[in-house]
Amino acid sequence: MFEKKKKAFTVNEIKRKLENYCVYQDRCHKEVEQKMREYSVIPEARELILLSLMKDNFLNEERFAKSYARGKFRIKSWGKQRIVRELKFRDISAYNLKTALKEIDETEYIATIYRITEKRNEVISETDLYKRKKKLIDFLMRKGFESQLIYKVVTEVTS
């Protein structure tokens, strides 16, 4: 019935809003472009704003990829495959994907998969060993760990 009238902003106001958006948390280009679409910014202004954000280092794809990989690994215990999949979904370049994965320490990575596997193994009530292993494997696959690593860890933890 009533249409909500969108407030019109000047290019400088939008630029300031996007700078705050990027300062609050590292963002990728895709998220910033989405935000500009919400403000219905014209294409010419879109380019100017993007260039300005990159020039002033508010928008940095490599920094975003690194902090994203670190955060998802440390906080959510995601495996490398899940992190790569999510970064690809955000249109992150292959170079930045490689750089982001270097942020994950290999020994910490192995320790994490063992820790979450043992923790999950304790809460699974399944008594049949094969079903138990399948549940553990499915869980670790969803977390995004590599299959050969999963099978090695699950075998060690369940034996």
PDB file of all heavy atoms in Angstrom, residues 66-80 82-83 100-101 103-113 115-116 143 145:
ATOM      1  N   LYS A  66      42.982 -13.021   3.915  1.00  0.00           N
ATOM      2  CA  LYS A  66      43.808 -13.494   5.038  1.00  0.00           C
ATOM      3  C   LYS A  66      43.014 -13.504   6.342  1.00  0.00           C
ATOM      4  O   LYS A  66      43.023 -14.492   7.070  1.00  0.00           O
ATOM      5  CB  LYS A  66      45.044 -12.601   5.213  1.00  0.00           C
ATOM      6  CG  LYS A  66      46.133 -12.843   4.200  1.00  0.00           C
ATOM      7  CD  LYS A  66      47.270 -11.870   4.459  1.00  0.00           C
ATOM      8  CE  LYS A  66      48.512 -12.242   3.681  1.00  0.00           C
ATOM      9  NZ  LYS A  66      49.628 -11.339   3.987  1.00  0.00           N
ATOM     10  N   SER A  67      42.339 -12.406   6.633  1.00  0.00           N
ATOM     11  CA  SER A  67      41.611 -12.345   7.906  1.00  0.00           C
ATOM     12  C   SER A  67      40.424 -13.303   7.900  1.00  0.00           C
ATOM     13  O   SER A  67      40.090 -13.891   8.924  1.00  0.00           O
ATOM     14  CB  SER A  67      41.170 -10.911   8.228  1.00  0.00           C
ATOM     15  OG  SER A  67      40.170 -10.487   7.358  1.00  0.00           O
ATOM     16  N   TYR A  68      39.801 -13.496   6.730  1.00  0.00           N
ATOM     17  CA  TYR A  68      38.681 -14.431   6.616  1.00  0.00           C
ATOM     18  C   TYR A  68      39.159 -15.852   6.919  1.00  0.00           C
ATOM     19  O   TYR A  68      38.556 -16.570   7.715  1.00  0.00           O
ATOM     20  CB  TYR A  68      38.084 -14.356   5.206  1.00  0.00           C
ATOM     21  CG  TYR A  68      36.817 -15.154   5.030  1.00  0.00           C
ATOM     22  CD1 TYR A  68      35.584 -14.586   5.306  1.00  0.00           C
ATOM     23  CD2 TYR A  68      36.850 -16.477   4.604  1.00  0.00           C
ATOM     24  CE1 TYR A  68      34.410 -15.303   5.161  1.00  0.00           C
ATOM     25  CE2 TYR A  68      35.693 -17.205   4.462  1.00  0.00           C
ATOM     26  CZ  TYR A  68      34.473 -16.614   4.737  1.00  0.00           C
ATOM     27  OH  TYR A  68      33.316 -17.337   4.594  1.00  0.00           O
ATOM     28  N   ALA A  69      40.274 -16.245   6.287  1.00  0.00           N
ATOM     29  CA  ALA A  69      40.816 -17.594   6.482  1.00  0.00           C
ATOM     30  C   ALA A  69      41.211 -17.811   7.945  1.00  0.00           C
ATOM     31  O   ALA A  69      40.871 -18.841   8.540  1.00  0.00           O
ATOM     32  CB  ALA A  69      42.010 -17.822   5.567  1.00  0.00           C
ATOM     33  N   ARG A  70      41.921 -16.845   8.520  1.00  0.00           N
ATOM     34  CA  ARG A  70      42.321 -16.953   9.932  1.00  0.00           C
ATOM     35  C   ARG A  70      41.111 -17.094  10.834  1.00  0.00           C
ATOM     36  O   ARG A  70      41.055 -17.970  11.696  1.00  0.00           O
ATOM     37  CB  ARG A  70      43.111 -15.707  10.366  1.00  0.00           C
ATOM     38  CG  ARG A  70      44.587 -15.760  10.158  1.00  0.00           C
ATOM     39  CD  ARG A  70      45.295 -14.639  10.919  1.00  0.00           C
ATOM     40  NE  ARG A  70      44.652 -13.338  10.800  1.00  0.00           N
ATOM     41  CZ  ARG A  70      44.925 -12.431   9.864  1.00  0.00           C
ATOM     42  NH1 ARG A  70      45.846 -12.684   8.959  1.00  0.00           N
ATOM     43  NH2 ARG A  70      44.298 -11.270   9.838  1.00  0.00           N
ATOM     44  N   GLY A  71      40.148 -16.225  10.637  1.00  0.00           N
ATOM     45  CA  GLY A  71      38.961 -16.209  11.488  1.00  0.00           C
ATOM     46  C   GLY A  71      38.143 -17.478  11.404  1.00  0.00           C
ATOM     47  O   GLY A  71      37.767 -18.059  12.430  1.00  0.00           O
ATOM     48  N   LYS A  72      37.855 -17.926  10.201  1.00  0.00           N
ATOM     49  CA  LYS A  72      37.025 -19.129  10.039  1.00  0.00           C
ATOM     50  C   LYS A  72      37.747 -20.366  10.561  1.00  0.00           C
ATOM     51  O   LYS A  72      37.122 -21.275  11.085  1.00  0.00           O
ATOM     52  CB  LYS A  72      36.624 -19.344   8.571  1.00  0.00           C
ATOM     53  CG  LYS A  72      35.711 -18.269   8.035  1.00  0.00           C
ATOM     54  CD  LYS A  72      34.437 -18.138   8.830  1.00  0.00           C
ATOM     55  CE  LYS A  72      33.540 -17.061   8.278  1.00  0.00           C
ATOM     56  NZ  LYS A  72      32.386 -16.776   9.101  1.00  0.00           N
ATOM     57  N   PHE A  73      39.080 -20.389  10.440  1.00  0.00           N
ATOM     58  CA  PHE A  73      39.826 -21.542  10.959  1.00  0.00           C
ATOM     59  C   PHE A  73      39.858 -21.504  12.487  1.00  0.00           C
ATOM     60  O   PHE A  73      39.522 -22.481  13.148  1.00  0.00           O
ATOM     61  CB  PHE A  73      41.255 -21.569  10.396  1.00  0.00           C
ATOM     62  CG  PHE A  73      42.128 -22.588  11.070  1.00  0.00           C
ATOM     63  CD1 PHE A  73      41.851 -23.943  10.946  1.00  0.00           C
ATOM     64  CD2 PHE A  73      43.196 -22.201  11.848  1.00  0.00           C
ATOM     65  CE1 PHE A  73      42.626 -24.892  11.593  1.00  0.00           C
ATOM     66  CE2 PHE A  73      43.990 -23.141  12.492  1.00  0.00           C
ATOM     67  CZ  PHE A  73      43.706 -24.485  12.362  1.00  0.00           C
ATOM     68  N   ARG A  74      40.222 -20.354  13.048  1.00  0.00           N
ATOM     69  CA  ARG A  74      40.376 -20.268  14.505  1.00  0.00           C
ATOM     70  C   ARG A  74      39.051 -20.328  15.251  1.00  0.00           C
ATOM     71  O   ARG A  74      38.943 -20.972  16.279  1.00  0.00           O
ATOM     72  CB  ARG A  74      41.105 -18.976  14.887  1.00  0.00           C
ATOM     73  CG  ARG A  74      42.535 -18.983  14.415  1.00  0.00           C
ATOM     74  CD  ARG A  74      43.495 -18.416  15.452  1.00  0.00           C
ATOM     75  NE  ARG A  74      44.868 -18.584  14.997  1.00  0.00           N
ATOM     76  CZ  ARG A  74      45.529 -17.659  14.313  1.00  0.00           C
ATOM     77  NH1 ARG A  74      44.969 -16.515  14.043  1.00  0.00           N
ATOM     78  NH2 ARG A  74      46.774 -17.889  13.929  1.00  0.00           N
ATOM     79  N   ILE A  75      38.047 -19.629  14.736  1.00  0.00           N
ATOM     80  CA  ILE A  75      36.786 -19.520  15.467  1.00  0.00           C
ATOM     81  C   ILE A  75      35.824 -20.671  15.156  1.00  0.00           C
ATOM     82  O   ILE A  75      35.235 -21.256  16.053  1.00  0.00           O
ATOM     83  CB  ILE A  75      36.126 -18.153  15.205  1.00  0.00           C
ATOM     84  CG1 ILE A  75      37.039 -17.048  15.751  1.00  0.00           C
ATOM     85  CG2 ILE A  75      34.743 -18.060  15.844  1.00  0.00           C
ATOM     86  CD1 ILE A  75      36.759 -15.674  15.212  1.00  0.00           C
ATOM     87  N   LYS A  76      35.693 -21.004  13.866  1.00  0.00           N
ATOM     88  CA  LYS A  76      34.729 -22.041  13.487  1.00  0.00           C
ATOM     89  C   LYS A  76      35.366 -23.391  13.195  1.00  0.00           C
ATOM     90  O   LYS A  76      34.668 -24.337  12.858  1.00  0.00           O
ATOM     91  CB  LYS A  76      33.927 -21.580  12.269  1.00  0.00           C
ATOM     92  CG  LYS A  76      32.980 -20.440  12.592  1.00  0.00           C
ATOM     93  CD  LYS A  76      31.965 -20.282  11.499  1.00  0.00           C
ATOM     94  CE  LYS A  76      30.873 -19.342  11.953  1.00  0.00           C
ATOM     95  NZ  LYS A  76      29.815 -19.223  10.975  1.00  0.00           N
ATOM     96  N   SER A  77      36.698 -23.475  13.279  1.00  0.00           N
ATOM     97  CA  SER A  77      37.445 -24.709  12.990  1.00  0.00           C
ATOM     98  C   SER A  77      37.114 -25.276  11.607  1.00  0.00           C
ATOM     99  O   SER A  77      36.906 -26.470  11.452  1.00  0.00           O
ATOM    100  CB  SER A  77      37.172 -25.777  14.050  1.00  0.00           C
ATOM    101  OG  SER A  77      37.512 -25.308  15.322  1.00  0.00           O
ATOM    102  N   TRP A  78      37.077 -24.393  10.612  1.00  0.00           N
ATOM    103  CA  TRP A  78      36.826 -24.852   9.248  1.00  0.00           C
ATOM    104  C   TRP A  78      38.112 -25.391   8.647  1.00  0.00           C
ATOM    105  O   TRP A  78      39.205 -24.930   8.959  1.00  0.00           O
ATOM    106  CB  TRP A  78      36.348 -23.699   8.379  1.00  0.00           C
ATOM    107  CG  TRP A  78      34.914 -23.337   8.553  1.00  0.00           C
ATOM    108  CD1 TRP A  78      34.024 -23.855   9.447  1.00  0.00           C
ATOM    109  CD2 TRP A  78      34.185 -22.355   7.810  1.00  0.00           C
ATOM    110  NE1 TRP A  78      32.807 -23.258   9.299  1.00  0.00           N
ATOM    111  CE2 TRP A  78      32.865 -22.340   8.310  1.00  0.00           C
ATOM    112  CE3 TRP A  78      34.523 -21.495   6.778  1.00  0.00           C
ATOM    113  CZ2 TRP A  78      31.891 -21.496   7.790  1.00  0.00           C
ATOM    114  CZ3 TRP A  78      33.554 -20.656   6.272  1.00  0.00           C
ATOM    115  CH2 TRP A  78      32.254 -20.667   6.774  1.00  0.00           C
ATOM    116  N   GLY A  79      37.955 -26.377   7.745  1.00  0.00           N
ATOM    117  CA  GLY A  79      39.091 -26.906   7.011  1.00  0.00           C
ATOM    118  C   GLY A  79      39.391 -26.030   5.805  1.00  0.00           C
ATOM    119  O   GLY A  79      38.606 -25.160   5.438  1.00  0.00           O
ATOM    120  N   LYS A  80      40.533 -26.296   5.169  1.00  0.00           N
ATOM    121  CA  LYS A  80      40.982 -25.481   4.031  1.00  0.00           C
ATOM    122  C   LYS A  80      40.003 -25.517   2.861  1.00  0.00           C
ATOM    123  O   LYS A  80      39.772 -24.506   2.206  1.00  0.00           O
ATOM    124  CB  LYS A  80      42.369 -25.935   3.573  1.00  0.00           C
ATOM    125  CG  LYS A  80      43.450 -25.617   4.583  1.00  0.00           C
ATOM    126  CD  LYS A  80      44.803 -26.121   4.124  1.00  0.00           C
ATOM    127  CE  LYS A  80      45.867 -25.806   5.164  1.00  0.00           C
ATOM    128  NZ  LYS A  80      47.162 -26.368   4.796  1.00  0.00           N
ATOM    129  N   ARG A  82      36.736 -25.867   2.819  1.00  0.00           N
ATOM    130  CA  ARG A  82      35.554 -25.036   3.079  1.00  0.00           C
ATOM    131  C   ARG A  82      35.911 -23.552   2.961  1.00  0.00           C
ATOM    132  O   ARG A  82      35.153 -22.766   2.390  1.00  0.00           O
ATOM    133  CB  ARG A  82      35.005 -25.346   4.474  1.00  0.00           C
ATOM    134  CG  ARG A  82      33.904 -24.436   4.946  1.00  0.00           C
ATOM    135  CD  ARG A  82      32.555 -25.095   4.894  1.00  0.00           C
ATOM    136  NE  ARG A  82      31.471 -24.201   5.222  1.00  0.00           N
ATOM    137  CZ  ARG A  82      30.670 -24.346   6.289  1.00  0.00           C
ATOM    138  NH1 ARG A  82      30.867 -25.345   7.123  1.00  0.00           N
ATOM    139  NH2 ARG A  82      29.688 -23.508   6.490  1.00  0.00           N
ATOM    140  N   ILE A  83      37.077 -23.189   3.473  1.00  0.00           N
ATOM    141  CA  ILE A  83      37.525 -21.801   3.391  1.00  0.00           C
ATOM    142  C   ILE A  83      37.705 -21.390   1.929  1.00  0.00           C
ATOM    143  O   ILE A  83      37.236 -20.333   1.513  1.00  0.00           O
ATOM    144  CB  ILE A  83      38.826 -21.590   4.201  1.00  0.00           C
ATOM    145  CG1 ILE A  83      38.536 -21.744   5.706  1.00  0.00           C
ATOM    146  CG2 ILE A  83      39.439 -20.226   3.914  1.00  0.00           C
ATOM    147  CD1 ILE A  83      39.762 -21.825   6.590  1.00  0.00           C
ATOM    148  N   ALA A 100      45.924 -16.549   1.455  1.00  0.00           N
ATOM    149  CA  ALA A 100      45.050 -16.725   2.624  1.00  0.00           C
ATOM    150  C   ALA A 100      45.341 -18.055   3.320  1.00  0.00           C
ATOM    151  O   ALA A 100      45.392 -18.114   4.553  1.00  0.00           O
ATOM    152  CB  ALA A 100      43.599 -16.650   2.203  1.00  0.00           C
ATOM    153  N   LEU A 101      45.548 -19.117   2.547  1.00  0.00           N
ATOM    154  CA  LEU A 101      45.782 -20.436   3.144  1.00  0.00           C
ATOM    155  C   LEU A 101      47.120 -20.506   3.874  1.00  0.00           C
ATOM    156  O   LEU A 101      47.292 -21.315   4.785  1.00  0.00           O
ATOM    157  CB  LEU A 101      45.695 -21.533   2.084  1.00  0.00           C
ATOM    158  CG  LEU A 101      44.284 -21.790   1.548  1.00  0.00           C
ATOM    159  CD1 LEU A 101      44.294 -22.904   0.515  1.00  0.00           C
ATOM    160  CD2 LEU A 101      43.300 -22.112   2.655  1.00  0.00           C
ATOM    161  N   GLU A 103      48.071 -18.445   5.895  1.00  0.00           N
ATOM    162  CA  GLU A 103      47.804 -17.924   7.239  1.00  0.00           C
ATOM    163  C   GLU A 103      47.534 -19.055   8.239  1.00  0.00           C
ATOM    164  O   GLU A 103      47.576 -18.836   9.439  1.00  0.00           O
ATOM    165  CB  GLU A 103      46.581 -16.993   7.217  1.00  0.00           C
ATOM    166  CG  GLU A 103      46.808 -15.693   6.499  1.00  0.00           C
ATOM    167  CD  GLU A 103      47.791 -14.776   7.211  1.00  0.00           C
ATOM    168  OE1 GLU A 103      47.526 -14.419   8.366  1.00  0.00           O
ATOM    169  OE2 GLU A 103      48.819 -14.443   6.604  1.00  0.00           O
ATOM    170  N   ILE A 104      47.226 -20.242   7.729  1.00  0.00           N
ATOM    171  CA  ILE A 104      46.895 -21.372   8.600  1.00  0.00           C
ATOM    172  C   ILE A 104      48.150 -22.207   8.840  1.00  0.00           C
ATOM    173  O   ILE A 104      48.727 -22.760   7.912  1.00  0.00           O
ATOM    174  CB  ILE A 104      45.778 -22.247   7.972  1.00  0.00           C
ATOM    175  CG1 ILE A 104      44.516 -21.398   7.775  1.00  0.00           C
ATOM    176  CG2 ILE A 104      45.488 -23.459   8.836  1.00  0.00           C
ATOM    177  CD1 ILE A 104      43.435 -22.083   6.973  1.00  0.00           C
ATOM    178  N   ASP A 105      48.551 -22.274  10.107  1.00  0.00           N
ATOM    179  CA  ASP A 105      49.732 -23.039  10.491  1.00  0.00           C
ATOM    180  C   ASP A 105      49.424 -24.533  10.387  1.00  0.00           C
ATOM    181  O   ASP A 105      48.405 -25.003  10.900  1.00  0.00           O
ATOM    182  CB  ASP A 105      50.116 -22.666  11.924  1.00  0.00           C
ATOM    183  CG  ASP A 105      51.308 -23.456  12.411  1.00  0.00           C
ATOM    184  OD1 ASP A 105      52.319 -23.483  11.693  1.00  0.00           O
ATOM    185  OD2 ASP A 105      51.212 -24.048  13.506  1.00  0.00           O
ATOM    186  N   GLU A 106      50.301 -25.272   9.718  1.00  0.00           N
ATOM    187  CA  GLU A 106      50.065 -26.697   9.447  1.00  0.00           C
ATOM    188  C   GLU A 106      49.930 -27.533  10.728  1.00  0.00           C
ATOM    189  O   GLU A 106      49.049 -28.380  10.827  1.00  0.00           O
ATOM    190  CB  GLU A 106      51.182 -27.242   8.555  1.00  0.00           C
ATOM    191  CG  GLU A 106      50.792 -28.450   7.739  1.00  0.00           C
ATOM    192  CD  GLU A 106      49.528 -28.256   6.884  1.00  0.00           C
ATOM    193  OE1 GLU A 106      49.363 -27.214   6.239  1.00  0.00           O
ATOM    194  OE2 GLU A 106      48.689 -29.189   6.864  1.00  0.00           O
ATOM    195  N   THR A 107      50.792 -27.293  11.721  1.00  0.00           N
ATOM    196  CA  THR A 107      50.711 -28.085  12.965  1.00  0.00           C
ATOM    197  C   THR A 107      49.419 -27.760  13.717  1.00  0.00           C
ATOM    198  O   THR A 107      48.793 -28.647  14.288  1.00  0.00           O
ATOM    199  CB  THR A 107      51.929 -27.838  13.879  1.00  0.00           C
ATOM    200  OG1 THR A 107      52.083 -26.432  14.065  1.00  0.00           O
ATOM    201  CG2 THR A 107      53.206 -28.401  13.281  1.00  0.00           C
ATOM    202  N   GLU A 108      49.042 -26.485  13.688  1.00  0.00           N
ATOM    203  CA  GLU A 108      47.795 -26.071  14.336  1.00  0.00           C
ATOM    204  C   GLU A 108      46.590 -26.705  13.619  1.00  0.00           C
ATOM    205  O   GLU A 108      45.603 -27.085  14.239  1.00  0.00           O
ATOM    206  CB  GLU A 108      47.699 -24.535  14.252  1.00  0.00           C
ATOM    207  CG  GLU A 108      46.848 -23.896  15.333  1.00  0.00           C
ATOM    208  CD  GLU A 108      46.802 -22.379  15.216  1.00  0.00           C
ATOM    209  OE1 GLU A 108      47.823 -21.758  14.881  1.00  0.00           O
ATOM    210  OE2 GLU A 108      45.717 -21.828  15.466  1.00  0.00           O
ATOM    211  N   TYR A 109      46.708 -26.816  12.289  1.00  0.00           N
ATOM    212  CA  TYR A 109      45.651 -27.401  11.460  1.00  0.00           C
ATOM    213  C   TYR A 109      45.427 -28.868  11.844  1.00  0.00           C
ATOM    214  O   TYR A 109      44.297 -29.299  12.070  1.00  0.00           O
ATOM    215  CB  TYR A 109      46.061 -27.281   9.985  1.00  0.00           C
ATOM    216  CG  TYR A 109      44.992 -27.635   8.978  1.00  0.00           C
ATOM    217  CD1 TYR A 109      43.882 -26.808   8.802  1.00  0.00           C
ATOM    218  CD2 TYR A 109      45.098 -28.766   8.169  1.00  0.00           C
ATOM    219  CE1 TYR A 109      42.907 -27.101   7.861  1.00  0.00           C
ATOM    220  CE2 TYR A 109      44.130 -29.065   7.221  1.00  0.00           C
ATOM    221  CZ  TYR A 109      43.044 -28.228   7.068  1.00  0.00           C
ATOM    222  OH  TYR A 109      42.083 -28.521   6.130  1.00  0.00           O
ATOM    223  N   ILE A 110      46.523 -29.623  11.939  1.00  0.00           N
ATOM    224  CA  ILE A 110      46.454 -31.040  12.307  1.00  0.00           C
ATOM    225  C   ILE A 110      45.906 -31.179  13.732  1.00  0.00           C
ATOM    226  O   ILE A 110      45.026 -32.002  14.000  1.00  0.00           O
ATOM    227  CB  ILE A 110      47.852 -31.714  12.202  1.00  0.00           C
ATOM    228  CG1 ILE A 110      48.425 -31.599  10.776  1.00  0.00           C
ATOM    229  CG2 ILE A 110      47.787 -33.175  12.642  1.00  0.00           C
ATOM    230  CD1 ILE A 110      47.646 -32.281   9.686  1.00  0.00           C
ATOM    231  N   ALA A 111      46.411 -30.353  14.648  1.00  0.00           N
ATOM    232  CA  ALA A 111      45.944 -30.397  16.047  1.00  0.00           C
ATOM    233  C   ALA A 111      44.447 -30.116  16.114  1.00  0.00           C
ATOM    234  O   ALA A 111      43.718 -30.763  16.877  1.00  0.00           O
ATOM    235  CB  ALA A 111      46.719 -29.381  16.880  1.00  0.00           C
ATOM    236  N   THR A 112      43.974 -29.181  15.301  1.00  0.00           N
ATOM    237  CA  THR A 112      42.552 -28.816  15.305  1.00  0.00           C
ATOM    238  C   THR A 112      41.675 -29.973  14.838  1.00  0.00           C
ATOM    239  O   THR A 112      40.652 -30.262  15.461  1.00  0.00           O
ATOM    240  CB  THR A 112      42.306 -27.576  14.415  1.00  0.00           C
ATOM    241  OG1 THR A 112      43.066 -26.494  14.944  1.00  0.00           O
ATOM    242  CG2 THR A 112      40.841 -27.201  14.372  1.00  0.00           C
ATOM    243  N   ILE A 113      42.080 -30.634  13.749  1.00  0.00           N
ATOM    244  CA  ILE A 113      41.238 -31.741  13.249  1.00  0.00           C
ATOM    245  C   ILE A 113      41.182 -32.870  14.285  1.00  0.00           C
ATOM    246  O   ILE A 113      40.120 -33.458  14.502  1.00  0.00           O
ATOM    247  CB  ILE A 113      41.664 -32.239  11.841  1.00  0.00           C
ATOM    248  CG1 ILE A 113      40.603 -33.225  11.312  1.00  0.00           C
ATOM    249  CG2 ILE A 113      43.035 -32.836  11.837  1.00  0.00           C
ATOM    250  CD1 ILE A 113      40.790 -33.645   9.880  1.00  0.00           C
ATOM    251  N   ARG A 115      41.500 -32.484  17.585  1.00  0.00           N
ATOM    252  CA  ARG A 115      40.715 -31.971  18.714  1.00  0.00           C
ATOM    253  C   ARG A 115      39.215 -32.048  18.420  1.00  0.00           C
ATOM    254  O   ARG A 115      38.450 -32.578  19.220  1.00  0.00           O
ATOM    255  CB  ARG A 115      41.128 -30.519  19.007  1.00  0.00           C
ATOM    256  CG  ARG A 115      40.396 -29.882  20.178  1.00  0.00           C
ATOM    257  CD  ARG A 115      40.887 -28.465  20.479  1.00  0.00           C
ATOM    258  NE  ARG A 115      41.030 -27.597  19.313  1.00  0.00           N
ATOM    259  CZ  ARG A 115      40.015 -26.963  18.711  1.00  0.00           C
ATOM    260  NH1 ARG A 115      38.792 -27.101  19.149  1.00  0.00           N
ATOM    261  NH2 ARG A 115      40.241 -26.183  17.661  1.00  0.00           N
ATOM    262  N   ILE A 116      38.788 -31.557  17.235  1.00  0.00           N
ATOM    263  CA  ILE A 116      37.339 -31.563  16.964  1.00  0.00           C
ATOM    264  C   ILE A 116      36.815 -32.974  16.694  1.00  0.00           C
ATOM    265  O   ILE A 116      35.663 -33.267  16.984  1.00  0.00           O
ATOM    266  CB  ILE A 116      36.926 -30.571  15.847  1.00  0.00           C
ATOM    267  CG1 ILE A 116      37.496 -30.958  14.491  1.00  0.00           C
ATOM    268  CG2 ILE A 116      37.269 -29.147  16.213  1.00  0.00           C
ATOM    269  CD1 ILE A 116      37.006 -30.085  13.349  1.00  0.00           C
ATOM    270  N   LYS A 143      32.894 -29.687   7.597  1.00  0.00           N
ATOM    271  CA  LYS A 143      33.822 -28.676   8.102  1.00  0.00           C
ATOM    272  C   LYS A 143      34.839 -28.282   7.032  1.00  0.00           C
ATOM    273  O   LYS A 143      35.499 -27.256   7.161  1.00  0.00           O
ATOM    274  CB  LYS A 143      34.579 -29.210   9.329  1.00  0.00           C
ATOM    275  CG  LYS A 143      33.767 -29.190  10.594  1.00  0.00           C
ATOM    276  CD  LYS A 143      33.753 -27.806  11.180  1.00  0.00           C
ATOM    277  CE  LYS A 143      33.223 -27.800  12.597  1.00  0.00           C
ATOM    278  NZ  LYS A 143      33.119 -26.442  13.113  1.00  0.00           N
ATOM    279  N   PHE A 145      37.497 -30.388   5.683  1.00  0.00           N
ATOM    280  CA  PHE A 145      38.849 -30.954   5.727  1.00  0.00           C
ATOM    281  C   PHE A 145      39.059 -31.888   4.541  1.00  0.00           C
ATOM    282  O   PHE A 145      38.105 -32.369   3.939  1.00  0.00           O
ATOM    283  CB  PHE A 145      39.078 -31.688   7.059  1.00  0.00           C
ATOM    284  CG  PHE A 145      39.203 -30.749   8.228  1.00  0.00           C
ATOM    285  CD1 PHE A 145      38.099 -30.424   9.006  1.00  0.00           C
ATOM    286  CD2 PHE A 145      40.429 -30.174   8.539  1.00  0.00           C
ATOM    287  CE1 PHE A 145      38.214 -29.543  10.070  1.00  0.00           C
ATOM    288  CE2 PHE A 145      40.551 -29.292   9.605  1.00  0.00           C
ATOM    289  CZ  PHE A 145      39.439 -28.970  10.365  1.00  0.00           C
TER     290      PHE A 145
END
